[in-house]
Amino acid sequence: GQTTPASPMLRAILLAAAVASASAFSLAPMGAAPAMRLQPANRAARSPAFAPKMSADGFVPDMGRRNLMNALLTGSIAGPILVLPAVLISFLTPAKSGGGGGGLVAKDALGNDVKVDAWLATHPAGARALVQGLKGDATYLITSEEGKLENFAVNAVCTHLGCVVPWNKAANKFMCPCHGSQYDKNGKVVRGPAPLSLALAKRGDADGTVVLSFWGEKDFRDGSDPWWKK
């Protein structure tokens, strides 16, 4: 007999199946970049130098170095804070001599200790020159007419408004340039508006170094009790 041709519907179904089968085995087009997929980091691939190793007792070898760095950092911050008050106190507190009855070592303009012999070598008889004295005040050392240092020193701070009073050799007086107050060669007030004489200090020495200390006796210039305080 004669073979019956396949119906159009059957041919369409077979064609679609063939196309689908071919698509499943086709290669990706040339030049197309494969899709990137994020993968979790492989922890095993880390460098051993950066991978902390923990022993059986839970100790981390790098912890010692961390603790050391933390201690150094804390010390670098806390150290200056703790030391600063002591530095300020020592800077503001005048240095005291080990001798001379607990007096203060006189300092010259450069901050050096004043030595008796060296001072007299450059300050002849009648000289009056400034040193740093008690409480940091400018203070006159006086060379006597015999070429020796007097046993007293004269505070240079004017008793009127606190100006430093210069020595006027020509007038043989201490003369304040601020308001005209005047003091004699030993610092006794002889002209106002200053109400009081210049303060005194005792002048001694310890191992050849000039030492100043508080004058608590009567003022030899006028016999009065000292108005200045220790």
Side-chain angles (χ1 to χ4, degrees):
Q2 295 181 353
T3 303
T4 305
S7 65
M9 182 62 69
L10 180 59
R11 287 198 302 270
I13 292 173
L14 293 175
L15 179 60
V19 171
S21 300
S23 299
F25 294 97
S26 63
L27 296 175
M30 293 296 292
M36 295 182 64
R37 291 165 56 184
L38 296 177
Q39 298 291 338
N42 186 358
R43 295 185 179 180
R46 290 184 179 177
S47 171
F50 297 97
K53 297 179 181 180
M54 185 175 293
S55 61
D57 59 359
F59 173 74
V60 180
D62 288 342
M63 189 59 69
R65 274 184 281 177
R66 295 176 187 171
N67 290 338
L68 177 60
M69 293 301 295
N70 289 338
L72 292 175
L73 179 60
T74 302
S76 65
I77 297 174
I81 295 176
L82 295 176
V83 172
L84 182 59
V87 174
L88 291 175
I89 291 173
S90 64
F91 177 78
L92 297 175
T93 302
K96 292 187 176 181
S97 167
L104 179 78
V105 173
K107 302 287 185 180
D108 63 17
L110 299 177
N112 300 317
D113 294 352
V114 176
K115 303 294 184 179
V116 176
D117 291 341
W119 186 266
L120 291 175
T122 55
H123 297 83
R128 283 154 175 78
L130 290 171
V131 296
Q132 179 179 302
L134 301 177
K135 301 179 181 179
D137 288 347
T139 301
Y140 283 101
L141 293 182
I142 300 176
T143 306
S144 70
E145 295 302 326
E146 292 76 27
K148 299 179 180 180
L149 282 178
E150 295 284 8
N151 63 358
F152 66 93
V154 177
N155 191 305
V157 178
C158 183
T159 59
H160 179 220
L161 292 179
C163 297
V164 173
V165 182
W167 168 248
N168 188 317
K169 184 177 180 180
N172 200 36
K173 294 178 182 178
F174 294 101
M175 302 178 68
C176 184
C178 296
H179 302 97
S181 298
Q182 296 182 12
Y183 308 84
D184 72 9
K185 63 180 183 178
N186 292 328
K188 178 183 177 181
V189 63
V190 295
R191 174 180 170 180
L196 300 166
S197 298
L198 298 175
L200 294 173
K202 290 184 178 181
R203 199 281 309 167
D205 69 84
D207 299 325
T209 301
V210 175
V211 176
L212 301 175
S213 57
F214 178 73
W215 183 289
E217 305 167 6
K218 285 189 177 295
D219 189 337
F220 69 88
R221 299 167 298 189
D222 58 13
S224 64
D225 291 329
W227 59 264
W228 50 90
K229 296 180 180 180
K230 192 170 184 178

